[in-house]
Amino acid sequence: MKLKDIKSPGFNPAEWEAKGYQLPKFDVEAVARKTHDQPTWVHFGGGNIFRAFLAAMLNDLLNEGKYDRGLIVAGIHDYEVLEKVFFPYDNLTLLVSLKASGAVEKKVIASVTEALKADFQFEDWGRMVEIFRNPSLQMISFTITEKGYVVPPEDLERGLRPESAMGKVTALLLERYRAGELPLTVQSMDNCSHNGDRIRDAVLSFASKWVKEGLAEEGFVNYLEDGRKVTFPWSMIDKITPRPHVKVKELLDADGFVDCGFIETRKHAFIAPFVNAEEVQYLVVEDNYTNGRPPLDLCGTLFTTRETVDKVETMKVMTCLNPLHTSMALFGCLLGYNLISAEMADGDIRQLVQKLGYMEAMPVVTDPGILNPYEFIGTVINKRLPNPFMPDAPQRIAVDTSQKLPIRFGGTVRKYLERGLDTDNLVLIPLVFAAYARYLKGVDDKGDRFDPSPDPLLEELQAIVSPLELGRPDQDWSCLRKLFSRKDVFGLDLYEAGLGERTEGYVRELYAGPGAVRSTLHKYVSQR
């Protein structure tokens, strides 16, 4: 059983269907032809969440006859993703949904009709330009992580052939402008706060520079700022799509499905021809489109106002999921766990996430109206995180922790200060900050070394804590002030917020020696 067989002449679906595989119900080739001629949706970033969520949603619409076009995926950073899991399998993906009940759903996703490398050095660039100059294009979307929106200063000096993701997107938007100021919605679907503004700011930085230097017409910036022509809506996305797991591979092997090889790209993307994911998913989007949009509301997407998206995103990112994930990631790595579900069977960790969410973060959450915070967090704690069939790992969640802490925890602390609430009630949030200082050491609770997950500031922050040693209570702890005053890492200066000394105290306990992580965690979750 091979993915490419599905598009082969004379394909017999009986074997696949007998083994529980859901196959495309639409004419794949007809959809591909129409999408080629009249594209409506281009997505940048072909990773796991794209294949398991966005492509799968559109696949459902096609299966149900509610839409007639697929989407085009554009690689803009890690081209190996296209080379390893799109090109060899005719853009098909196998989605394996792992349900808390133990049921497994296997669905072939065929909604991706083209996979293109969005870079000047490849022939695909000409096709990208053609697509962007087509009036039918309604929206471009992104799952390229927060790092993808960064504008390197040196990239602004490269003129109309930039190397960064946002630079190349701006070059394509310039093509659309030159084709007649055609309308378009630029839709971030990344898991970061006010994500639409991040793209808008990045794009405008390139556009302004190019106009100033005479590389682009003066009207280009006006085009991007004209909300009747180009919009940058906010969104909140939530679906756990962990790395491909050996248990899922074994399940597929037993079926005779042969496209199961694990792949790690040179840029450390962990992928496979299949993607495993949880069943629960949320996508809340600001409904601000200038040229229409695919009918994603018919497959569960909630379209609403910017204000409501902000409330939902804040609820999730600062309270109901992301901070719980990060706290589990740090303590999970320190305590030797490899599965999130296994952590939820640990009484101390379960108390940590329950009390962190309900007692410390919930007091500053605003109910968004369309999703109830208590129901959301209840689903997270009681259904999503304990799901034994979800092979998610703390090591995956710990990736880029320095980029996550200022939003997931610093934002909550700021709200306490803004509302005049007593920060003495915060015990577990500073404990997580302290755990990060212990995690950076790369030594677990048994005293064994481990490799912290990739992070753009990892080496820099590890250098700060490098003087510290385990089991040395009388050592010089002054380096901690340099760490905990980093506003870029924690969202604010912890000393100015009144949490610095308390966090330092926790660090001293966590560094006491083997077993100190467990004893410190147990002590404070029990007291809380």
Side-chain angles (χ1 to χ4, degrees):
M1 297 170 60
K2 300 179 180 179
L3 278 173
K4 290 185 72 170
D5 291 344
I6 293 169
K7 291 187 177 181
S8 299
F11 169 66
N12 185 351
E15 180 183 9
W16 292 69
E17 293 173 345
K19 294 180 179 180
Y21 289 75
Q22 299 179 30
L23 299 172
K25 299 178 182 178
F26 56 94
D27 187 330
V28 176
E29 295 304 322
V31 167
R33 287 193 298 271
K34 187 160 189 178
T35 306
H36 181 277
D37 295 339
Q38 297 179 314
T40 55
W41 182 6
V42 173
H43 183 84
F44 291 87
N48 292 332
I49 194 166
F50 163 71
R51 295 188 291 152
F53 194 171
L54 307 176
M57 281 199 304
L58 194 62
N59 196 79
D60 288 344
L61 289 177
L62 291 166
N63 277 338
E64 295 164 8
K66 296 177 180 177
Y67 200 54
D68 60 357
R69 270 161 283 189
L71 58 81
I72 298 161
V73 64
I76 201 164
H77 171 64
D78 192 343
Y79 303 114
E80 277 189 275
V81 172
L82 300 187
E83 294 166 355
K84 301 293 178 62
V85 296
F86 283 93
F87 296 164
Y89 306 102
D90 287 344
N91 302 325
L92 298 169
T93 289
L94 178 65
L95 169 59
V96 182
S97 297
L98 306 165
K99 304 187 177 184
S101 65
V104 175
E105 181 183 83
K106 297 168 288 190
K107 182 185 298 184
V108 174
I109 306 302
S111 57
V112 177
T113 60
E114 290 182 78
L116 303 169
K117 296 179 180 180
D119 195 292
F120 305 99
Q121 64 180 307
F122 301 115
E123 291 183 5
D124 289 350
W125 184 258
R127 172 61 179 153
M128 291 295 301
V129 170
E130 177 184 302
I131 292 168
F132 268 72
R133 295 178 69 89
N134 194 322
S136 68
L137 185 63
Q138 296 177 328
M139 77 174 195
I140 59 173
S141 57
F142 301 81
T143 51
I144 56 176
T145 77
E146 295 170 72
K147 294 181 292 185
Y149 304 128
V150 172
V151 178
E154 64 276 13
D155 208 38
L156 290 172
E157 305 303 324
R158 293 194 176 98
L160 295 180
R161 295 181 70 85
E163 294 182 358
S164 68
M166 290 296 97
K168 286 179 277 193
V169 168
T170 308
L172 289 167
L173 291 172
L174 180 58
E175 294 287 347
R176 192 159 183 83
Y177 165 76
R178 288 173 171 171
E181 301 186 32
L182 300 173
L184 186 69
T185 291
V186 182
Q187 177 71 70
S188 174
M189 293 181 178
D190 268 304
N191 181 22
C192 54
S193 181
H194 302 172
N195 47 22
D197 286 354
R198 296 198 180 200
I199 297 183
R200 182 180 185 275
D201 293 345
V203 164
L204 283 173
S205 67
F206 280 100
S208 299
K209 177 76 170 177
W210 295 348
V211 169
K212 182 178 180 181
E213 295 182 352
L215 299 174
E217 297 83 344
E218 290 186 5
F220 183 40
V221 170
N222 294 333
Y223 165 72
L224 295 174
E225 292 181 332
D226 187 343
R228 297 166 301 177
K229 295 177 181 177
V230 182
T231 54
F232 301 84
W234 295 359
S235 71
M236 187 286 291
I237 190 168
D238 182 20
K239 184 178 181 73
I240 300 173
T241 54
R243 298 173 180 177
H245 197 273
V246 64
K247 290 183 179 179
V248 178
K249 182 181 186 303
E250 292 171 352
L251 180 152
L252 300 176
D253 281 337
D255 285 341
F257 182 80
V258 300
D259 296 328
C260 296
F262 294 158
I263 300 158
E264 179 183 359
T265 70
R266 288 185 294 273
K267 294 185 177 179
H268 305 295
F270 294 87
I271 51 176
F274 69 89
V275 55
N276 39 238
E278 67 171 338
E279 59 183 307
V280 180
Q281 60 187 35
Y282 303 91
L283 180 59
V284 183
V285 180
E286 176 189 353
D287 196 1
N288 187 12
Y289 289 73
T290 60
N291 197 32
R293 56 172 169 78
L296 299 181
D297 53 310
L298 300 181
C299 52
T301 299
L302 300 174
F303 287 95
T304 183
T305 64
R306 170 170 287 204
E307 180 184 15
T308 301
V309 172
D310 188 38
K311 291 178 181 178
V312 172
E313 189 267 340
T314 301
M315 176 197 77
K316 176 216 169 191
V317 171
M318 292 172 53
T319 305
C320 295
L321 177 62
N322 294 23
L324 312 187
H325 249 165
T326 293
S327 62
M328 294 181 74
L330 296 176
F331 278 102
C333 291
L334 289 168
L335 294 173
Y337 283 103
N338 293 310
L339 286 174
I340 289 294
S341 58
E343 285 193 67
M344 287 302 289
D346 183 312
D348 291 332
I349 292 179
R350 189 177 183 93
Q351 281 194 75
L352 171 68
V353 296
Q354 286 178 323
K355 294 179 177 180
L356 180 65
Y358 284 119
M359 298 176 67
E360 297 200 359
M362 195 66 78
V364 294
V365 165
T366 301
D367 188 338
I370 60 174
L371 292 174
N372 181 283
Y374 287 93
E375 292 178 1
F376 190 101
I377 199 171
T379 299
V380 169
I381 292 175
N382 298 314
K383 183 177 181 181
R384 300 176 68 183
L385 297 179
N387 184 347
F389 304 99
M390 267 297 295
D392 205 2
Q395 291 77 15
R396 180 191 76 88
I397 297 166
V399 171
D400 297 339
T401 296
S402 72
Q403 312 298 293
K404 299 171 181 175
L405 290 173
I407 299 171
R408 299 183 179 190
F409 296 95
T412 295
V413 177
R414 284 197 301 274
K415 284 186 178 291
Y416 266 77
L417 297 173
E418 291 166 0
R419 299 182 186 184
L421 299 177
D422 191 353
T423 56
D424 286 342
N425 291 326
L426 299 179
V427 174
L428 301 181
I429 288 178
L431 181 63
V432 174
F433 292 154
Y436 188 50
R438 178 69 167 75
Y439 167 87
L440 289 169
K441 200 67 184 175
V443 179
D444 68 17
D445 204 28
K446 294 180 180 178
D448 297 329
R449 293 204 166 272
F450 68 90
D451 293 323
S453 300
D455 187 301
L457 296 181
L458 182 60
E459 292 184 6
E460 179 182 340
L461 299 179
Q462 284 186 310
I464 294 176
V465 302
S466 62
L468 300 181
E469 298 179 27
L470 298 179
R472 288 278 310 280
D474 58 342
Q475 65 187 307
D476 182 1
W477 299 90
S478 60
C479 64
L480 292 177
R481 181 168 286 272
K482 183 177 180 182
L483 176 65
F484 293 134
S485 61
R486 291 278 297 259
K487 295 181 181 181
D488 60 327
V489 176
F490 299 99
L492 68 178
D493 183 323
L494 297 189
Y495 300 94
E496 294 176 356
L499 297 175
E501 287 76 12
R502 186 184 316 167
T503 307
E504 280 192 19
Y506 295 157
V507 174
R508 296 184 187 211
E509 293 184 57
L510 290 167
Y511 267 79
V517 174
R518 170 64 70 183
S519 61
T520 305
L521 174 63
H522 180 76
K523 172 183 175 180
Y524 289 105
V525 297
S526 298
Q527 288 180 1
R528 190 70 175 91

